[in-house]
Structures are given as structure tokens and as C-alpha cells.
Amino acid sequence: MKSGKAGNQAADRGGQSDNACGKTPKAHVEGTHRLVSPEETWRRIEPLFPRFGITRVADLTGLDRIGLPVAAAVRPQSRSVAVSAGKGLSLAAAKVSAAMEAIECAHAETIDRPLVFASRSEIAARHRPADILDLPRVDGTRLTADTRFLWMEAIEIATGEPVMVPYELVHAHYCPDALPAAGTFLATTNGLASGNAYAEAVCHGLFEVIERDALNLWERLAPRQRNDRLVAHAFADAPHLGETMEQLGRAGFQIAIWDITSDIGVPAFHCLIVDEQDPAGHPGTGTGCHPDKTVALYRALSEAAQVRAVYISGGRDDITRREYQSDHIQAFRRTIEAGGKAPRRDFAAIASTEYHYFEDDIAWTARRLEEVGCGPILVADLSLPDTGIFVVRVIVPGLEGPPEANAVAGRRAQEAAR
């Protein structure tokens, strides 16, 4: 990975770069790493809400007794989900998180880029295609070098070279319009990300695809193996994590944290919170991934609170009736009980990596991916030229997609199951 090249790409796309080294600095590192503060981001994006169909951003925090900031952004005419949720250390951060997710989806629902209808063998005659057998696919579909579907251009971030990728892995238009060979690849929002700079958006999407791969592999382990990764609730070197845990404890929640970091080595955690005061109370699950382990864990904890608040609000349009049924809710309680007195990992002993520039995060992560035979990092830039917001879709061949029941198990998933 040539971090200098990545830095030049960020500058070419209008990202905010440090004059001395051409890299994008992290000016905000409280709970997450961003170019500017949540307040500044809000000032930039709020005028754009009408353009992207956002009618309101709501504070959901008070719907629950936990008190961790949660917000929701509403887009009634969305072609994916109409309600996007967000979380953060502050209400401003939660509102920005929700709004940026909505903006990401709006970009991916209305992509204005050239598309090519061709098979892999036809594409290979004129362009460099991604290895389609290393991409997340749907079970039961037949895929050969002669299967024709829509492609669009992405960029290999290390070299700047164009690589053609399946359009189905980039767009988020999930209305029932029939596209050629639709249903071949696993269509989710995995790797869709935004930021105030190109490199910031790439980092956000990159860590999400690694997070989903790690969760997929961890869920394939036997229960005892999963619980061997439980983490002790001691965070002396990360005060905001300790405060978050105390807040959840005071609100009456049991908490389980698993270190699901894969062989790639980017810290990843999965969290579960269960309501001790109300047997029928909604659980919350969350997952986070970042080179800085404190950022990764806070993302997982705050996402668990976000998920519970979304259940309570009832506003999310992709939640099924099943998720409100008692036996489903009680299954999460049994998951925590199954951990029992299993040994807990020491959070202080878990490796963590911190850089001042987003491009350094990308370069470090690219090396880790290469070591396990995954990559390259491919980025489809969906940004619009006149908004100042950067939106990308990150695709990493070889990584598993989200743990969906209809997904084909790739090489890494098959190895984990063995």
C-alpha cells in the first residue's frame, strides 16, 4: 500500500489535506475519528437535507432509560430504508451519524455513473475486473465467466487503477425494479460510507467491511469458542468506556462484550445488552471495528443502545414482527447466561493502533489484508461535486459479507466453520 498515493487521491477529490505531507488529519478523535467536529459537520450538511429527502432528524434518546445519545434521520421517499439511526458521545454526534447514513443511502440509490452490461470474460477483454468468486454472493445462484450483469468502475486505492465491480454491490436501490441478473451478489449497505474528506469516508467504509467479515467468522464458531473471547469489564485506560459501562449498569442492563478480532488484526468487538428490570425488554446488539480499540469498542456499545432505542421507537422499516416476539427476546438473555463464569480477556492487553492521518490507517490496514490474502481495497466514489460531502462504497475481495442466511460461505467462512 502506498500511503502517499492514497493521500494524493484524497487531495484530487477535494479532501482536506495537511499542507506538509498531503495527508488528511484527524482533528476530532472523541469517540470516533473525523476531520472536523460533529457541530461543524452538522453546519455543513443541514442545508443539504431537502436535496437528499431528509425531512427531519429526531432525538430518540429519551425513549429509553439508558441515556446514551441516539438519533434518527427520516427520508420518506427512500429506496432502501426510510429511517436511518445514529449514535455518538454527544447528541450532536448522534444526529450527524444518523444524517450522514441517510445521505449515504441517498447517494447509493441514485447513482449517476456509467454502467456496462457484460460477462466477466467480456469485461476482461477491455477492462480489469474484480474476481467475482471472491465477492459476497447469494446462495443458489449460478455464476460463471459468461454470466452477464451490470458493472461499474471502482478504483484500487493503492495504485489508482480502475477496476470494474458488480453494480449490485455498489447501489442501494432496493425497490423491486428488475435489473439483469439481480440477486446474484449480496446486496447490502456494507462498505457504504461518508465523510468530510475522501480518505475519512474510505476509512469508515473499510472498517465496516472488516467488521462484518469478523462478525461472520465469529458467529460460525461453536458457542464455547465464542465465549472464550469474552472481555472483562475493566477500562482504566479508557475513561469514556468505563463511564458508558457504568451508565448501562445503572440503567439495569447486563452487558456482554466479545473480542471478535479476526486474523486481519483490526480490533473488532461485539456487544449485547439485556434488560434486567423488564423480562420483555428489548435487547440491543452492536459491533464496532477500528485500529484504535477504544473507538471500536465504543462503537459497539453505543450501537447496542442505538438498536434498543430503534426497537422502542418502532420507526425502522426493516424490523420484522419476529424481532418483537418473546422467544426471540429471551434467546438473547440465554446468550448472556451461557457465558457464565467463562474467563474474560483483559482489554488492556488487546493491541491497538493509532495514527494522526486517515491515509496511514488505510495503508496499515491494507498491509494487514494482504497478509491474510484479501484485497485489494476497491473504492467506488459516489460523491457529488457540489456538496462538499464524500460518499464511497468500499469493496474488499476475499472478505465475507454480513452474516446473512442466504449468503454463500466464502473461503474464510469455510475455514472458520472447520
Side-chain angles (χ1 to χ4, degrees), residues 114-137:
L115 302 178
V116 179
F117 180 56
S119 66
R120 187 187 185 283
S121 56
E122 290 169 334
I123 281 285
R126 295 171 290 163
H127 307 280
R128 175 187 166 194
D131 190 337
I132 55 178
L133 296 182
D134 274 345
L135 301 175
R137 291 176 288 120

Side-chain angles (χ1 to χ4, degrees), residues 30-31 33 41 47 74 108 133 137 139 173 181 208-209 213 217 248 250 269 273 277 284 338 361 390 402:
E30 297 176 6
H33 291 184
T41 302
V74 182
L133 296 182
R137 291 176 288 120
D139 195 16
H173 191 315
E208 182 171 79
V209 297
D213 171 84
L217 302 184
L248 287 164
R250 286 195 302 269
F269 300 92
I273 61 173
Q277 296 184 9
D361 278 348
F390 295 82

Side-chain angles (χ1 to χ4, degrees), residues 314-398:
R316 183 89 173 193
D317 43 332
D318 59 348
I319 297 178
T320 65
R321 180 188 296 270
R322 168 67 176 158
E323 292 174 79
Y324 286 93
Q325 293 175 345
S326 176
D327 61 334
H328 179 77
I329 291 173
Q330 296 310 312
F332 290 93
R333 191 178 305 277
R334 291 193 294 273
T335 296
I336 279 190
E337 292 171 352
K341 297 181 179 179
R344 299 296 200 265
R345 295 187 176 189
D346 182 4
F347 181 75
I350 297 173
S352 186
T353 303
E354 299 175 35
Y355 289 108
H356 296 298
Y357 300 99
F358 291 105
E359 287 82 5
D360 292 334
D361 278 348
I362 297 169
W364 177 81
T365 306
R367 291 193 294 271
R368 305 306 299 251
L369 287 165
E370 185 177 8
E371 288 172 3
V372 299
C374 294
I377 299 170
L378 307 178
V379 181
D381 190 348
L382 309 182
S383 309
L384 298 175
D386 57 345
T387 64
I389 301 300
F390 295 82
V391 177
V392 301
R393 173 77 83 157
V394 177
I395 298 171
V396 179

Side-chain angles (χ1 to χ4, degrees), residues 91-275:
L91 179 57
K95 290 169 65 178
V96 165
S97 173
M100 290 294 268
E101 182 176 295
I103 289 171
E104 294 162 13
C105 290
H107 279 74
E109 291 167 5
T110 54
I111 296 174
D112 183 14
R113 298 288 191 277
L115 302 178
V116 179
F117 180 56
S119 66
R120 187 187 185 283
S121 56
E122 290 169 334
I123 281 285
R126 295 171 290 163
H127 307 280
R128 175 187 166 194
D131 190 337
I132 55 178
L133 296 182
D134 274 345
L135 301 175
R137 291 176 288 120
V138 174
D139 195 16
T141 56
R142 184 172 180 271
L143 184 62
T144 70
D146 297 320
T147 304
R148 304 185 85 204
F149 49 86
L150 290 171
W151 300 74
M152 70 172 287
E153 185 180 281
I155 296 296
E156 181 181 340
I157 199 167
T159 64
E161 296 176 0
V163 179
M164 299 299 285
V165 298
Y167 176 63
E168 192 168 27
L169 290 176
V170 181
H171 79 81
H173 191 315
Y174 300 140
C175 293
D177 295 334
L179 293 175
T184 299
F185 297 94
L186 194 62
T188 69
T189 58
N190 188 28
L192 182 61
S194 57
N196 288 284
Y198 176 75
E200 176 189 317
V202 170
C203 280
H204 189 70
L206 177 58
F207 302 141
E208 182 171 79
V209 297
I210 293 173
E211 168 196 309
R212 302 291 170 78
D213 171 84
L215 182 62
N216 191 319
L217 302 184
W218 175 78
E219 287 195 353
R220 293 176 185 276
L221 300 175
R224 181 175 177 180
Q225 291 175 300
R226 291 199 295 269
N227 286 332
D228 284 344
R229 296 173 171 227
L230 282 162
V231 177
H233 299 175
F235 308 103
D237 57 344
H240 69 282
L241 291 179
E243 292 167 5
T244 300
M245 294 290 291
E246 290 175 8
Q247 194 166 346
L248 287 164
R250 286 195 302 269
F253 285 84
Q254 283 186 289
I255 311 161
I257 302 169
W258 291 269
D259 175 8
I260 64 169
T261 306
S262 71
D263 54 343
I264 298 169
V266 184
F269 300 92
H270 184 63
C271 296
L272 169 62
I273 61 173
V274 170
D275 194 338

